[in-house]
Amino acid sequence: MATRRRSSYPLVPLLLFLLAAAAYGRLISDGSPASPSTTSLSAVIRLSTSAAASATPAPAAEEKCEQSYGFLPCTTTVLGNLFLVLAYGFLMYKAATYLSAGSELLLEIMGPGLVGGLLLPILGALPDALLVLVSGLSGSRETAQSQVLIGMGLLAGSTVFLLTVLWGTCVVVGKCDIGPNGVAVDLQDNKGFSLTGTGISTDVQTSYAARIMGISVIPFIIAQFPKTLKTHHGQRLAVLLALIVSFSLVLAYCLYQVFQPWIQRRKLAYAKHKHVISGILRHAQMEALGRLLNEDGTPNENVIKKLFHKIDMDHSETLSRAELHALIVGINFEEIDFDKEDAVDKIMDDFDTSGNEIVEEAEFVAGMKRWLNEAKRTVPASGAYSNKFISDYHARTRQDHDLLVDRSDEAVESVENPGWSITKAVGLLLLGSAIAAAFADPLVDAVHNFSNASHIPSFFISFIALPLATNSSEAVSAIIFASRKKLRTSSLTFSEVYGGVTMNNTLCLGVFLALIYIRNLTWDFSSEVLIILLVCVIMALFTSFRTTFPLWTCLVAYMLYPLSLVVVYILDFVFGWS
């Protein structure tokens, strides 16, 4: 993956500004008379407001506000809390940026496996997980119960944002012309905004990532099960079970990511083998030996035997490795690169059931029948099995191979001075983690206070605003990568989107469930869980069984975002679900 450069914003001026503003915050929260140690500046401010304060003293409850860490600014006004939400949200955005930059640099140096499969997915979900954690960690149980809705809003908002707004935008910026074979052509974008003639294509591996994302909603279903039955009995047990399942899925997902390169190579090797098989079948057709399949779809043994005797150049009534190698060399496989000796080994394994290192006529006929039956399952035929059927099968195996291509060309060259690069990567990760840990709690407090001051439900604030802070860095990177208009970059982009949702539904939800269980909070998020299930299931079904997405599919994704907000509003504020 190419390293994506980001401009850095200086944090020091902003932090100094916030710390300076803390003096004003402390003054508001202090309702007591001025002490002898009060500074002259404070005295002047108090003097200028003393007349109004003494004439109509405001209730103490309206002037009080709680400072995060005892020194960060606080306010009770709508605009003041809005400013704090924006300021702390920007800091969380910077934390996500540093984590993303450090992760990419570390992946560039150390490659996939343990780093790419285990460490980076967890680091990518760290800002969201911290915000979820602090939303119900501090304060009394009643306070935690009121603030925990912010964590659920972030969970739902991040998932919906990634699968609707970001997914649709990546389709728009990554669109290419869709060719006659139904696959988007790399770097070709001449049809404008044709809803059916343009779109994006991904590899098969990306569709597997979408299926994993669909499976990741299982903990939500488990936790919501007692509510579905309209009973409070077993709710705590359901939360505990969902907690165990969510962290088990995190572990399984990380292990899958660790072993994914090996799985990808195995699938690619199998796709090449199928293409070699289809090439041999097409070669038999082109040599005018006859139709390999009869009208009723059964293998034509006479034609298969003719092919056997043509390959048997020494007329020994058996096929040796050398004769199979000569057959493969004689077939033009210029479309793909493969190891011919390995191909001979695989063909020998398919045919030589006796294990005597030669292929007899009966073994060859049986092996060819298996190949032809596989072709019939892969390419459904309408009507008679004509010669075109074998050509269609060959084209299909070529397409399957192309959709499984390795993404190694997106990797950058070896890094100069790896020691310094590792130090820089670790520093970025530590800085991002420290910022996220420091400002997660103030951000949750600011959202809660803004909700109280503006009378806007905290769920909607966290649903709309917080995902922009924690996912904006990944969103910009995904859009830039999708704009390269290649199958490989589109595959990587959408795999990262599905991976981000999977970590939200497993790791972040696991943290949330642990919070609910340990603090004995009430699980009352029926409408929120419904929209998560609605969006995840729709998009998982939509993306798991296809690899090409015309431009019109972005409209489906975009419409799901406002639909989610409307559903929550109607269920909560019209039907009173929560």
Side-chain angles (χ1 to χ4, degrees), residues 99 102-103 106 118-127 429 433 474 507:
L99 286 170
S103 299
L106 199 62
L118 185 60
L119 180 62
L120 300 192
I122 295 175
L123 289 174
L126 182 62
L429 293 175
S433 301
E474 286 73 14
L507 179 61

Side-chain angles (χ1 to χ4, degrees), residues 307-468:
L307 177 62
F308 174 83
H309 291 295
K310 183 168 185 176
I311 301 173
D312 181 22
M313 293 179 292
D314 61 359
H315 306 291
S316 63
E317 300 297 326
T318 60
L319 301 181
S320 63
R321 285 181 176 272
E323 288 170 328
L324 291 175
H325 186 272
L327 171 67
I328 293 176
V329 171
I331 300 175
N332 189 7
F333 285 105
E334 77 282 353
E335 315 100 350
I336 65 172
D337 181 30
F338 64 95
D339 186 345
K340 293 180 175 58
E341 292 294 337
D342 182 66
V344 171
D345 291 338
K346 287 184 170 61
I347 293 173
M348 187 66 75
D349 291 338
D350 282 353
F351 287 160
D352 183 22
T353 56
S354 62
N356 58 358
E357 291 298 312
I358 58 174
V359 179
E360 300 169 357
E361 185 180 39
E363 291 176 328
F364 184 80
V365 172
M368 289 290 290
K369 285 183 177 179
R370 287 194 298 270
W371 283 4
L372 290 170
N373 289 330
E374 173 65 23
K376 287 164 57 180
R377 288 192 296 268
T378 303
V379 183
S382 57
Y385 286 86
S386 63
N387 291 339
K388 185 177 180 296
F389 170 77
I390 298 298
S391 297
D392 291 342
Y393 178 56
H394 186 66
R396 179 66 174 269
T397 58
R398 167 66 192 279
Q399 180 179 338
D400 291 345
H401 169 269
D402 291 344
L403 293 176
L404 278 170
V405 289
D406 190 6
R407 302 170 184 164
S408 58
D409 69 340
E410 297 301 331
V412 296
E413 297 178 357
S414 58
V415 179
E416 297 181 2
N417 195 354
W420 164 246
S421 298
I422 291 177
T423 303
K424 181 180 178 182
V426 173
L428 288 171
L429 293 175
L430 291 176
L431 179 60
S433 301
I435 295 175
F439 293 100
D441 190 32
L443 177 57
V444 170
D445 288 340
V447 171
H448 184 68
N449 293 335
F450 178 73
S451 173
N452 291 337
S454 62
H455 304 292
I456 299 175
S458 59
F459 172 84
F460 292 103
I461 301 172
S462 57
F463 184 95
I464 297 172
L466 294 190
L468 296 178

Side-chain angles (χ1 to χ4, degrees), residues 108-347:
E108 178 184 345
I109 300 167
M110 306 183 70
L114 288 175
V115 174
L118 185 60
L119 180 62
L120 300 192
I122 295 175
L123 289 174
L126 182 62
D128 284 355
L130 285 174
L131 284 171
V132 168
L133 180 63
V134 302
S135 67
L137 193 61
S138 59
S140 64
R141 182 174 178 272
E142 291 73 17
T143 301
Q145 187 68 58
S146 64
Q147 287 193 353
V148 79
L149 192 60
I150 297 174
M152 177 53 73
L154 174 61
L155 272 179
S158 293
T159 295
V160 174
F161 171 78
L162 291 173
L163 289 179
T164 58
V165 177
L166 181 58
W167 193 95
T169 303
C170 288
V171 171
V172 174
V173 301
K175 69 178 181 65
C176 297
D177 296 342
I178 297 178
N181 61 349
V183 178
V185 182
D186 286 355
L187 300 175
Q188 181 177 314
D189 188 12
N190 301 320
K191 297 182 180 179
F193 286 89
S194 172
L195 293 179
T196 57
T198 62
I200 61 101
S201 290
T202 61
D203 59 18
V204 176
Q205 196 71 20
T206 306
S207 66
Y208 298 156
R211 296 177 193 179
I212 294 173
M213 177 191 70
I215 296 173
S216 69
V217 302
I218 292 177
F220 283 104
I221 299 175
I222 296 174
Q224 190 63 27
F225 190 70
K227 286 289 183 181
T228 305
L229 299 179
K230 297 182 179 179
T231 177
H232 293 286
H233 298 292
Q235 181 64 71
R236 186 167 171 80
L237 178 60
V239 169
L240 178 60
L241 182 59
L243 169 63
I244 296 172
V245 171
S246 62
F247 281 116
S248 298
L249 289 176
V250 171
L251 178 60
Y253 178 74
C254 291
L255 290 176
Y256 171 77
Q257 291 295 328
V258 168
F259 292 106
Q260 180 180 334
W262 174 79
I263 296 172
Q264 180 81 346
R265 287 192 295 269
R266 290 290 301 272
K267 290 177 178 176
L268 184 59
Y270 178 69
K272 288 182 177 181
H273 178 52
K274 286 184 65 176
H275 191 61
V276 171
I277 292 173
S278 67
I280 294 175
L281 296 177
R282 190 183 64 163
H283 176 73
Q285 293 277 58
M286 293 173 62
E287 290 296 317
L289 298 175
R291 289 173 52 182
L292 289 169
L293 290 174
N294 298 316
E295 291 288 342
D296 60 356
T298 58
N300 189 332
E301 291 193 16
N302 291 329
V303 173
I304 295 175
K305 289 178 180 178
K306 287 181 182 179
L307 177 62
F308 174 83
H309 291 295
K310 183 168 185 176
I311 301 173
D312 181 22
M313 293 179 292
D314 61 359
H315 306 291
S316 63
E317 300 297 326
T318 60
L319 301 181
S320 63
R321 285 181 176 272
E323 288 170 328
L324 291 175
H325 186 272
L327 171 67
I328 293 176
V329 171
I331 300 175
N332 189 7
F333 285 105
E334 77 282 353
E335 315 100 350
I336 65 172
D337 181 30
F338 64 95
D339 186 345
K340 293 180 175 58
E341 292 294 337
D342 182 66
V344 171
D345 291 338
K346 287 184 170 61
I347 293 173

